Amino acid sequence: MNMPNTQNVKLSENIILADADYIDLVAFRLSVQFERMIGRRIPKADLSRWAVDIALDGGLREDSKPHEIQLVLIHDKSKKQLDNFSPSVYDTELNAQAFRDDKLGEFLVNAYPTGSMVDKDDYLQDAIRTILEHNEVRRLMIIPNGEEGETYDIVSHALREAPDDKRVTVFAMQPMPGGNFRQEILGYSLMNALGIKADELKAED
């Protein structure tokens, strides 16, 4: 299944494009790390809370207007679900589903498997270019796996021609080489989604 690539398809003003396998891996790492640090079990990450935090980090704000945010989860075709998030099952719990945040608006969730006809890097690159062509998109938030292979460079290259009227934010676990986009640290939103509170960390210091 490929993301539509024609100008006739209407996209939301706000789009979150995430490598679901990567955010699942990072959530697992953080769970293991912080269970040891704070001495309690860490529950699965709340996917809706995470998406709201990403939207906020990407510049969306409450302004008394109804907003629409598309959450696009890209995953390897062999993976049927997220292991460290809830809800988790792509086909039945995530794809073509929606949830509403009282402050920001409606989040529309879609999950796209990769690996049959196109790999994840190619999909990301094509999706970014498609999204950037749509005038109605104002904010694009991208969570690639910048830790492996050439994915980060591919994303950075695809964003070179990003129009000035679009706010593009790329999320990573640590600062990455600059490009034609803003950067935010992925870990903060995942920690909040995992229910890890700042006062728990202060108690450890």
Side-chain angles (χ1 to χ4, degrees):
M1 183 188 299
N2 289 330
M3 193 170 187
N5 59 1
T6 69
Q7 282 294 118
N8 297 326
V9 176
K10 185 180 185 304
L11 298 179
S12 300
E13 279 192 357
N14 310 282
I15 297 180
I16 301 170
L17 186 60
D19 181 334
D21 302 317
Y22 178 62
I23 63 169
D24 204 29
L25 173 63
V26 177
F28 171 74
R29 290 176 180 167
L30 290 174
S31 296
V32 172
Q33 176 184 346
F34 283 104
E35 280 186 354
R36 292 171 180 162
M37 284 179 58
I38 62 182
R40 69 167 175 86
R41 181 182 172 277
I42 304 294
K44 290 187 176 183
D46 183 326
L47 186 68
S48 59
R49 182 187 296 180
W50 175 77
V52 168
D53 285 346
I54 290 292
L56 289 168
D57 287 346
L60 186 60
R61 294 291 180 267
E62 179 186 6
D63 57 8
S64 301
K65 298 177 183 176
H67 293 283
E68 186 178 89
I69 306 97
Q70 285 178 285
L71 171 58
V72 180
L73 299 170
I74 307 166
H75 65 94
D76 188 276
K77 64 174 182 168
S78 66
K79 297 287 288 184
K80 304 304 179 186
Q81 66 181 58
L82 292 158
D83 294 327
N84 301 282
F85 281 83
S86 180
S88 61
V89 182
Y90 292 121
D91 285 349
T92 58
E93 296 180 345
L94 296 173
N95 190 45
Q97 301 299 312
F99 69 89
R100 178 170 292 279
D101 177 74
D102 291 341
K103 295 180 178 179
L104 296 186
E106 187 173 29
F107 285 72
L108 310 175
V109 186
N110 287 101
Y112 295 101
T114 62
S116 297
M117 302 293 290
V118 60
D119 68 22
K120 199 178 291 178
D121 284 348
D122 288 339
Y123 186 99
L124 261 176
Q125 185 172 246
D126 290 344
I128 289 169
R129 288 175 175 163
T130 296
I131 291 166
L132 293 178
E133 290 173 357
H134 282 255
N135 294 329
E136 64 266 41
V137 178
R138 295 182 58 195
R139 295 177 189 84
L140 172 59
M141 293 141 274
I142 308 170
I143 304 93
N145 183 352
E147 298 182 26
E148 296 181 3
E150 300 178 352
T151 302
Y152 183 82
D153 292 335
I154 289 169
V155 169
S156 182
H157 186 268
L159 292 170
R160 284 194 309 175
E161 305 301 323
D164 293 337
D165 63 343
K166 297 191 193 305
R167 177 175 176 136
V168 180
T169 308
V170 176
F171 292 78
M173 285 302 289
Q174 59 187 15
M176 302 291 280
N180 188 27
F181 47 83
R182 292 172 168 83
Q183 290 192 45
E184 292 288 344
I185 299 299
L186 174 62
Y188 300 137
S189 58
L190 284 173
M191 287 170 62
N192 189 42
L194 288 163
I196 300 167
K197 297 178 173 59
D199 57 356
E200 291 182 289
L201 304 182
K202 289 176 184 174
E204 290 295 312
D205 291 340

